[in-house]
Amino acid sequence: MIRRIYELSSFFRSVIEDAVIDRNLTVTPFLSYPRGCCDMGSELLAQYLFENNIETEMINGTSKMDNSHHVWLCTKDEITIDITADQFNGQEGMPSNIEPIIVGNEAPIHKIFSYERIIEKPICLMHPIYQDVDWTNVRECKLCEAYHILLDKYL
């Protein structure tokens, strides 16, 4: 299962990177991927994994060092999935050489964000369960737009 999740996550990250390079994914905040993209990137990955029969929850953790946040996914079997952790490479107080894709046990970077963790259910972005999307919420509309760009051109 870990190998399959890694392969799907790796492919999905490469799709995001290609879409950014091609200037097709210009939805904020993706132009600086992976920096600042952990929330929306995790939400999009959760949808992709869901469509591949892997259910996840989003973990939103806070760092005691500076109250910064980081978001990643976790399965019910406690498999950690993170496609944006490397955004912290080179930052003071963070581990060095953070892998771009983490699938498995929590990595040292996740332990930094262990203060006040919130577990959230991802939003379902696809038909026929669109009722989960709040069309008055700008963030949710951006998520739908981004996912459909990836779906139409890359997936």
Side-chain angles (χ1 to χ4, degrees):
M1 179 64 106
I2 288 177
R3 181 183 186 100
R4 181 166 179 259
I5 293 171
Y6 184 87
E7 289 170 356
L8 291 168
S9 300
S10 179
F11 173 72
F12 194 78
R13 178 175 167 135
S14 71
V15 162
I16 291 174
E17 291 171 336
D18 289 347
V20 170
I21 289 168
D22 295 345
R23 309 281 301 159
N24 286 321
L25 189 58
T26 58
V27 176
T28 305
F30 287 100
L31 291 177
S32 61
Y33 189 85
R35 281 204 197 296
C37 297
C38 58
D39 180 25
M40 291 182 82
S42 293
E43 193 87 62
L44 295 175
L45 176 61
Q47 178 64 41
Y48 180 68
L49 292 174
F50 178 77
E51 291 172 15
N52 284 277
N53 302 311
I54 299 167
E55 292 190 40
T56 59
E57 295 179 318
M58 292 176 51
I59 310 296
N60 186 338
T62 304
S63 167
K64 277 189 174 181
M65 290 188 311
D66 58 5
N67 279 336
S68 60
H69 292 265
H70 183 52
V71 179
W72 63 94
L73 302 175
C74 189
T75 68
K76 67 178 186 251
D77 299 325
E78 298 185 9
I79 298 170
T80 296
I81 308 162
D82 194 337
I83 60 169
T84 62
D86 60 324
Q87 69 181 299
F88 298 106
N89 274 329
Q91 290 188 17
E92 188 176 329
M94 297 293 178
S96 58
N97 301 319
I98 302 168
E99 295 293 324
I101 298 152
I102 297 170
V103 175
N105 294 326
E106 278 195 358
I109 187 69
H110 301 114
K111 294 184 184 354
I112 290 172
F113 293 96
S114 62
Y115 180 67
E116 293 184 358
R117 285 191 178 174
I118 299 169
I119 299 172
E120 303 169 305
K121 183 179 188 278
I123 300 163
C124 185
L125 302 173
M126 296 300 295
H127 178 76
I129 356 181
Y130 268 134
Q131 70 265 18
D132 285 358
V133 177
D134 176 358
W135 294 105
T136 63
N137 182 306
V138 173
R139 178 185 171 279
E140 291 184 22
C141 289
K142 284 182 177 183
L143 281 167
C144 285
E145 179 185 354
Y147 197 74
H148 283 287
I149 289 167
L150 299 176
L151 192 63
D152 291 344
K153 296 181 186 273
Y154 298 92
L155 297 175

